[in-house]
Each structure stands twice: as C-alpha cells, then as structure tokens.
Amino acid sequence: MEKSIDKATLGMIAKSGRQKIPLVWDRYERQKPQCGFGEAGLCCRHCMQGPCRIDPFGEGPQEGVCGATADTMVARGLARAVAAGTASHGGHAKHMARTLLMSAEGRAPDYPVRDEAKLRAVAERSGINTGSRSTRKIAADLAKKALDEFSEKDSPLAWAATTVTGGRVRTFLKHGVVPTGIDSVVSEMMHRTTYGVDADPVNLLLGTIKCALADYAGCHMATDLADILFGTPQPALTRANLGVIRKDAVNIAVHGHNPLLSDMIAQAASDEDLVNKAREAGAPGGINVVGICCTGNEVMMRRKIPLATSSVSQETAILTGALDAMVVDYQCIMPSLAGIAECFHTKLITTMPIARIPKASHIEFNEEKAGMQARQIISEGISAFRQRDPKKIDIPGVTAPALAGFSAEAIISALAVVNGEDPLKPLIDSIAAGNVYGVCLFAGCNTVKVAQDFNYIEMVKRLAKKNVLVLATGCASGAFARHGFMSPEATNQYAGDGLKTVLTAIGEAAGLNGPLPPVLHMGSCVDNTRAADVAVAIANKLGVDLDRLPVAASAPEPVTEKAVAIGTWAVAAGLPTHLGIVPPVIGSKTVTGVLTKTARDLFGGYFIVEPDPLKAADALLETMAERRKGLGLSA
Ligand code: BF8
Ligand code: SF4
C-alpha cells in the first residue's frame, strides 16, 4: 500500500528510509497483523479476572469470565472511547473558560477580550444579562457559566440546548439523552462501563449518545471562547505543506490543539528584539511560525500562519532538518517525536503538566505570563537554530495556497454581500435550485491504515463535481489545504457547473476577484460546531429539523477517540455520517445494527461505514437525493 499521496510527505518518507529513522508507517508494519479480537471490539480488560475475549466465529468462548457478551463488550468499548473524546474536548474547553475568567479578573493580561460582539452574543444566548454592563463583568459571568457546565446540574447543558434546533432538543429529551454536565457525564460513563454495571448494549449506546452530546457542548464552548479571546476568524490567504518551512528563517512549529499557547507564539514572532536576535543568529528571514494539526488550524485562520503538515505526517516536519523548535500542548502528539528530534537539532518543547514526553524539554505553561513564555520558547528556537546542520536540511518545495477561516459568521457575512437583508437566502435558493446539491462536512484525521489523503481527495473530487459544497475541519482541512482544494483555482478545476456559478457569484460579490474555494476551511476539530451552527441556521430558516437537510458528514480517515465522539454527535444531530475505517464494533451485530439503522429511527442520523471512497461519495450523494426528495426538491 502507498503510504501517502502527498508529494512532500513521500519525499520525507524516502529520506527517513535513507537515514534509517523509523516513522509511524514503519511502526505500523511492525504491529502487523494487528489483533483480530481488538479490531472487532471483542476484548475486555475492565477487571483483573480478564483480559477476556470472545471468538467472533462462534467456536470459542462467547462470554467473558463475568458473563459479558459480545454486545456488552463492544458497546462498553465504544462508550469509553466517546467518554475519552469528550474528556479531551472538555479539558480543552475548561482550559479556555479558566483563562477567560483569569482575563476578566485581570490575572491574565496577555488575554484581553478581542471579540466583544461575540462575547455579548454568546452571553446573551446563554441567558446572561449584558445591557450596559462592562466587558469584564460579562466575561466573568460567561466564564463562570462555562465552568458550571462541567459538573452535574439539574438542567440541560446550555452549550448543547441553546445551540441546536428546537426539534433536536425535543428529540434528545424524548430519548433521555440530554447531558447535564460535561465532566459528570464522562464520570457516569466510566462508572456504567466498569465491572458489573451496565450490561445492556442499547442502554449503553443511548448513554454513549448522551456523552457525545456533552462532547458537542465542550467543542462548541471551546470554539466560542477561542473566538472571544482571539477573534472570530475571517477568510485569510495563506499556504500549506512542508514547503512553508524556510531555510532562511528560524522555524518554530506549534502543534497540538489549544490556541492559548499557539496564538501567543504567533504574536511573539513579530517581536522586534526576537526578530533581530534571529537575524544575528544567521537567519535573515527572521522567525517563521508554522502550524501542525488543530492548533495549526487555529492560528492559520486567525493569523495566517501557514500549515506545515497534519497528524499522521507530523514527524516529517522534523525530518526536513530545518525545524528549530516544535512546541506542543496536548492531544494527537506522537511520543515518537522526541526520538526523531534527537536525530536533528530540533528542540521539542512540551508545555502542559498533563502532557509530558520523556526526553523533551518542558516549559510549564502559565496563563499569567503567557507572552513572556512565548518569547522564551522562541528564544529556545533561536538557540537551536545555531546548531542546525546544513547537510541535514532537505525541505520539500511543495506548498499550495489556502484560503482559511470560514467561521459561520464569515460565511454569513460573505452571503450578506449578496443579500444584506436575508443572508441565508442565496444559499437556500441555491440548494433549492440544485446549484448546491447538498453540503458535506469533512472532519477527522489521517491514518496509517489508508494512503494519507487518498480517501479525502477521491471523495472531494466526486462530490464537488456533483455540486456538493464541502466544509472541512481538523486534519481533513489539512488534507484539502495541502492538495490545493482551498484555492479559487480548485473551484474552476473541480466544481460542477452549478456549484461553480454559486461560488463565483459569492466570491466576486465578497471582493475576492474569483470564486470561493470548493472546500471551505472551518477550523480545528472543536470547530465542527461552526458547521453545525450553519446547518442549524438553515434548518431554522426553513422551519425543518436537521435530519431533513441534504447535509452529511464524513470522516474518511479517522483515528482518535475524539473523532468517535464527534461522529456520534453528528449522528445524534441527524446527519448521515460516513466512516472510511471500520471501527472496532463489528464483533456485535446488535451494536452495528443500532449505529447504522436504529439510530436513524431515533435521531434521523446514522453511520455509513465504507472504506472505498468513491462508493462512499455515492452513498452520501444518495442520502442527499433522498432528503432533497423529502423536501420536494429535484433529486
Ligand atoms: O482534533 S483531526 S488527528 S489533530 S483528532 Fe487529531 Fe484527528 Fe487531527 Fe485535531 Ni482532530
Ligand atoms: Fe472479563 Fe468481565 Fe472482567 Fe471484562 S469485566 S475483563 S469481560 S470478567
């Protein structure tokens, strides 16, 4: 199997072979064959009478020592994955909320409120009195309200209940899946999946959906608070792929998820003293910050920081030999980076007390002195630059232009140029006329199990040709950006005639001198909620619920537990949701049946598992055809 279809990644894989530095793909080969029980979800280690496993062929044991069946084991495994994803997004959101509170109390001077309009809008939506109150007071109330969302309350989570359609809230109440606390739901999930608690697969799956809705709330909160502290993204042109790493500059990669650190580093990079220091060290180009993974998306869309690469290929940034420092916060950071950094001069710097890596340097992040720490980290990069070995430098000359930063607000304001009084009307009219056949949100990761980006690119070509508007977040947006699908030229090359007309009309009206790209970059993984906001606005405008819109979601190359949580809330939101990798649930017919069929009866959304990207694109087109018919539109 090819490891990637990205030329820059392939170049670095070849280099790693020559230099005998094993990468993620080599370690994957050494794991093969991976355990068949695990692949099917048929193993359990939840107590010390285990590990237990169930024979999927019906010959060996059909129950664990405690009597847990295949259905119980698979459902419990999925439930714990969603709980882990929810804990991750929730942890990120809580970190933002604490910082907003510190900002409001004057304890974090480097984090002023940068988007007051968004602060007021989110506060009002959350039931906080704004009126003529000061920014600080509103910010403090909002931060406290956000922190309140983590422990159990007797009312639904505000960040879930006030951000979806009324129809969704009624559906969630009807099925008893309304979360009342983000951390409390995670804790409840750990309780109900421990030895001898919930053994009913359907009950476990409903609990899983409740947990996934808490994940949605956490993601939405993280996005809202990031916009308040750093500004709501507007489209900005930048570039993507390893070629953004520069030979003539001190290169600092920000990697991980939370913008609290990466945004500070992006700001500090223009500090004159530091730029001069970099020049004195022999870097005429000064300081060049590049992004990796979701925190890369955060600074890409707010500060035009170019994106170096995405999750599965994160190691290749160091392989260029020109990365002076890689600074990481949490999530999706491979521990292998430390060993690879040791083969070069690159300084790997961890910053979070909960996410340390042996052999990396550690500068513990403190929000009260974030600006100073960002400058310290850049200074470390400048010192490392002096140790660069020119013989080891090999930067693939591959980049693509990328227009990033389509927040829901940015999309609405682009549409408002076409129709100021009723911004959604042009989009709704285009959907009705079939010029926009449907909308597909691409989310999730890159995996070693598929040639990197292959599924994304095959699917987007098919869907764009059929006039489907594509939205992207996380490493999905990285894939499209690196392959040039976030540039206006891609619209001319790949979009069907209807879609081309619409994107050109909006792009020209918005002053872009050309069409909008066929793939709109909506941000990081927590920003999947931005796409949900657009869908909710359309549904509310049409007076129908989300499960009737020709909107679908796809994670063609998913990896993480966070991706499982997001996919699960997309299903609960009523979206047909494609997975390009078979998740570890096939050991239970009951569980697969609920996920792919019963969920549809309850929520309107359901999973479609299809490893073949073209078949997957066709399956999504079919769901759109069906929903268009349901709305009385041409299919
Ligand atoms: O939150 S897409 S590999 S980087 S999990 Fe991770 Fe997956 Fe990338 Fe961002 Ni999202
Ligand atoms: Fe085995 Fe049951 Fe213990 Fe799991 S909880 S390890 S199935 S005995």
Side-chain angles (χ1 to χ4, degrees), residues 495-560:
D497 290 340
L499 185 63
K500 206 180 289 179
T501 312
V502 177
L503 294 174
T504 305
I506 302 172
E508 303 225 313
L512 294 175
N513 291 329
L516 290 181
V519 179
L520 301 184
H521 177 286
M522 294 201 95
S524 64
C525 284
V526 295
D527 293 334
N528 281 305
T529 54
R530 297 189 194 276
D533 286 350
V534 175
V536 167
I538 295 175
N540 284 340
K541 170 96 188 145
L542 290 175
V544 299
D545 202 359
L546 294 174
D547 59 348
R548 296 194 53 205
L549 298 180
V551 177
S554 172
E557 305 180 16
V559 170
T560 66

Side-chain angles (χ1 to χ4, degrees), residues 44-47 49-52 64-66 68 73 76 195:
C44 179
R45 280 200 303 119
H46 292 201
C47 87
Q49 294 173 121
C52 300
V65 173
C66 67
M73 270 189 204
R76 283 198 308 213
Y195 179 73

Side-chain angles (χ1 to χ4, degrees), residues 89 92 255-257 292-295 297 310-312 314 330-333 443-447 456 473-477 524-526 528 557-564 566:
H89 290 137
H92 170 166
H255 176 16
H257 283 77
I292 298 178
C293 286
C294 281
T295 213
N297 280 313
S310 319
S311 58
V312 81
Q314 57 185 267
Y330 36 53
Q331 304 169 19
C332 306
I333 297 149
C445 329
N446 280 134
T447 168
Y456 286 111
T473 58
C475 291
S477 62
S524 64
C525 284
V526 295
N528 281 305
E557 305 180 16
V559 170
T560 66
E561 290 163 319
K562 292 181 290 171
V564 181
I566 291 170

Side-chain angles (χ1 to χ4, degrees), residues 292-336:
I292 298 178
C293 286
C294 281
T295 213
N297 280 313
E298 298 275 354
V299 285
M300 185 185 196
M301 59 183 177
R302 292 198 184 88
R303 299 199 176 269
K304 295 194 189 183
I305 296 294
L307 187 79
T309 192
S310 319
S311 58
V312 81
S313 47
Q314 57 185 267
E315 297 162 313
T316 64
I318 300 180
L319 256 288
T320 61
L323 195 63
D324 303 299
M326 184 187 276
V327 47
V328 303
D329 55 20
Y330 36 53
Q331 304 169 19
C332 306
I333 297 149
M334 292 186 199
S336 65

Side-chain angles (χ1 to χ4, degrees), residues 447-466:
T447 168
V448 281
K449 295 187 173 178
V450 174
Q452 179 192 21
D453 304 334
F454 178 74
N455 284 357
Y456 286 111
I457 303 308
E458 290 297 293
M459 287 182 76
V460 76
K461 283 194 211 156
R462 177 78 127 227
L463 292 174
K465 186 96 290 113
K466 297 282 184 184

